Amino acid sequence: MQKVVPFILTGSVVYVYNVARYYLPSLPDLSPIASYSFGLITLIVAFMMGNQCMEKLNHPEYTINAGLASVCTLFMSVMPTDENVDSVSALMSNLGASGIAVGMIIGLMVSIIFHIWGRLRFLKDSSIPDFLVSWINTILPFVICLALGMVLFQALAVDLFQVVLGMLQPVTSYAQTLPGFILICFIPAFFYTLGVSSWLWDAVTMPIFLAGIQANIDAVAAGQPALNIVTYEATFTMAFVTIGGMCATLGLNLLMCVSKSKQLKTMGRVFLIPSIFNINEPVMFGAPVVFNPILMLPAWINAIIGPVYVWVLMSTGLLNIPSKLIHVGQIPAPFSSMLVTEDFRAVIWWIIYLAINVMVWYPFFKVYEKSKLADEQAA
């Protein structure tokens, strides 16, 4: 997923630009840039899945070929049928964020075939010239991938797109509930306090986030209200749940800046600028919060309070639900909050949440500060 993020960010830049274009209609339309970057995210995921699997499984000779085979097989699975058979828009829709799980599955399937074939070492010790052996060992697994795709998607008429969506529907539906939102926020925060980066969970959460924001974009374009609260924009870009970064550490950083402990005060002031941009690795590993029993508990509490706060605001209409792809978590709040919701009330709600965030951290911070003061006095 880290390899895919730049393509998502490309689309995000265009959506941020479109906010300015809303007020200045004379600006040129850059929507094709979004349509052919984020709009083709399933295609990109399929290629990167095959490419990265071959790299990790030590098949350098197949990194490009497996990626291309994944793309070719993907097209066989997502081509529109029936009344949409000649619809370009239907094809583009299948290649967008709603089909990202299909791209992952196709990429994995192709990777398994290439991996098994690579381990066979077919014709490796023969007298056939090396370049010919290389061609054969690329053509045969490629043919197997396309043949399997032909049997599944054409002969048996399996609609993988609908099958995957049907399988993921319970997960996606649960994710778009308050308990699901809490779990999506709490689990990465919990493991982050154990030193495990939240990037680990992107393969699980990103398809949910992208499908949610894509549905909101489509709904607004059709004149309907946005309904999906659980999106990357509401979780990260808006900087409520992740105020200061994962585990909502801005309140802790502010308390450190005015601490009686020289060490905490110095670190707090050094860490403040990154925290404003929602980058909190310095706080998490420098304060530290990671493996610190005193500070781990408020980090977990914030991971529950944040999504509940956002859910209540958006479900009651007190704050707009994001309907634009702004997949950037390092825009300072509350500017990012207002930008992603297109709602001036976001500034007020962010200030209130910052106060709540500080209050959650305060009692735990004072206990930790007391222990640090004792250490400093002893030294």
Side-chain angles (χ1 to χ4, degrees):
M1 292 307 302
Q2 292 182 37
K3 300 288 185 180
V4 176
V5 167
F7 299 95
I8 299 173
L9 292 179
T10 301
S12 299
V13 169
V14 175
Y15 277 91
V16 173
Y17 168 83
N18 284 342
V19 174
R21 188 169 178 267
Y22 177 81
Y23 297 100
L24 299 171
S26 59
L27 291 174
D29 182 12
L30 301 182
S31 57
I33 296 176
S35 299
Y36 293 97
S37 56
F38 176 68
L40 295 175
I41 196 66
T42 292
L43 185 69
I44 296 166
V45 165
F47 177 86
M48 293 309 303
M49 203 68 162
N51 176 274
Q52 290 298 294
C53 281
M54 292 299 97
E55 180 178 311
K56 304 303 180 185
L57 293 171
N58 298 316
H59 296 296
E61 71 278 12
Y62 286 149
T63 51
I64 300 299
N65 294 323
L68 294 174
S70 298
V71 170
C72 296
T73 309
L74 174 70
F75 268 102
M76 295 181 70
S77 69
V78 300
M79 289 300 292
T81 57
D82 301 329
E83 67 275 7
N84 296 320
V85 67
D86 295 323
S87 174
V88 175
S89 61
L91 174 61
M92 290 295 291
S93 176
N94 289 348
L95 294 175
S98 57
I100 189 171
V102 175
M104 295 172 71
I105 291 172
I106 292 293
L108 283 173
M109 181 187 76
V110 170
S111 298
I112 291 170
I113 293 171
F114 270 81
H115 176 58
I116 293 173
W117 189 268
R119 295 189 66 180
L120 291 177
R121 301 182 61 82
F122 185 64
L123 298 177
K124 290 296 182 182
D125 299 322
S126 68
S127 58
I128 301 175
D130 289 343
F131 76 91
L132 189 56
V133 172
S134 177
W135 287 0
I136 293 172
N137 280 314
T138 298
I139 293 171
L140 292 180
F142 191 21
V143 169
I144 293 172
C145 292
L146 292 182
L148 181 60
M150 182 180 68
V151 171
L152 288 175
F153 310 131
Q154 295 189 2
L156 299 179
V158 174
D159 189 339
L160 184 61
F161 191 81
Q162 292 302 322
V163 170
V164 172
L165 289 182
M167 292 173 59
L168 294 179
Q169 187 61 43
V171 177
T172 305
S173 298
Y174 182 73
Q176 291 295 340
T177 64
L178 179 55
F181 194 16
I182 292 173
L183 282 177
I184 282 177
C185 297
F186 179 79
I187 292 174
F190 175 81
F191 281 95
Y192 194 18
T193 61
L194 300 178
V196 179
S197 174
S198 59
W199 283 101
L200 174 69
W201 307 99
D202 277 7
V204 177
T205 60
M206 199 64 72
I208 295 171
F209 288 153
L210 293 180
I213 195 64
Q214 186 66 58
N216 288 350
I217 293 170
D218 294 341
V220 171
Q224 302 295 322
L227 299 176
N228 292 316
I229 296 175
V230 185
T231 61
Y232 185 97
E233 287 67 22
T235 307
F236 291 97
T237 308
M238 197 170 70
F240 278 47
V241 176
T242 55
I243 184 171
M246 180 66 69
C247 297
T249 55
L250 183 58
L252 171 62
N253 204 154
L254 293 175
L255 290 170
M256 290 172 66
C257 288
V258 296
S259 174
K260 297 176 182 178
S261 164
K262 289 184 178 181
Q263 182 183 359
L264 291 178
K265 181 185 290 186
T266 301
M267 288 193 298
R269 293 178 179 181
V270 171
F271 300 159
L272 184 59
I273 297 301
S275 285
I276 290 173
F277 287 87
N278 304 316
I279 300 170
N280 70 344
E281 280 79 3
V283 174
M284 292 296 293
F285 293 95
V289 176
V290 173
F291 287 116
N292 184 336
I294 299 174
L295 298 181
M296 289 168 72
L297 184 56
W300 300 342
I301 293 172
N302 283 322
I304 296 173
I305 292 177
V308 170
Y309 185 77
V310 170
W311 186 275
V312 170
L313 290 178
M314 291 186 176
S315 62
T316 57
L318 295 174
L319 187 63
N320 291 346
I321 297 175
S323 59
K324 285 183 170 59
L325 174 75
I326 304 180
H327 193 98
V328 184
Q330 282 69 52
I331 302 176
F335 175 74
S336 63
S337 311
M338 184 175 61
L339 179 68
V340 75
T341 60
E342 300 179 289
D343 190 339
F344 287 101
R345 295 175 296 177
V347 176
I348 299 173
W349 294 124
W350 183 85
I351 294 172
I352 293 173
Y353 185 66
L354 176 60
I356 295 172
N357 184 248
V358 171
M359 287 189 289
V360 170
W361 282 108
Y362 183 78
F364 300 93
F365 172 76
K366 296 305 288 184
V367 173
Y368 183 56
E369 181 188 51
K370 184 177 180 180
S371 68
K372 296 297 289 185
L373 286 170
D375 292 342
E376 291 176 8
Q377 290 171 1

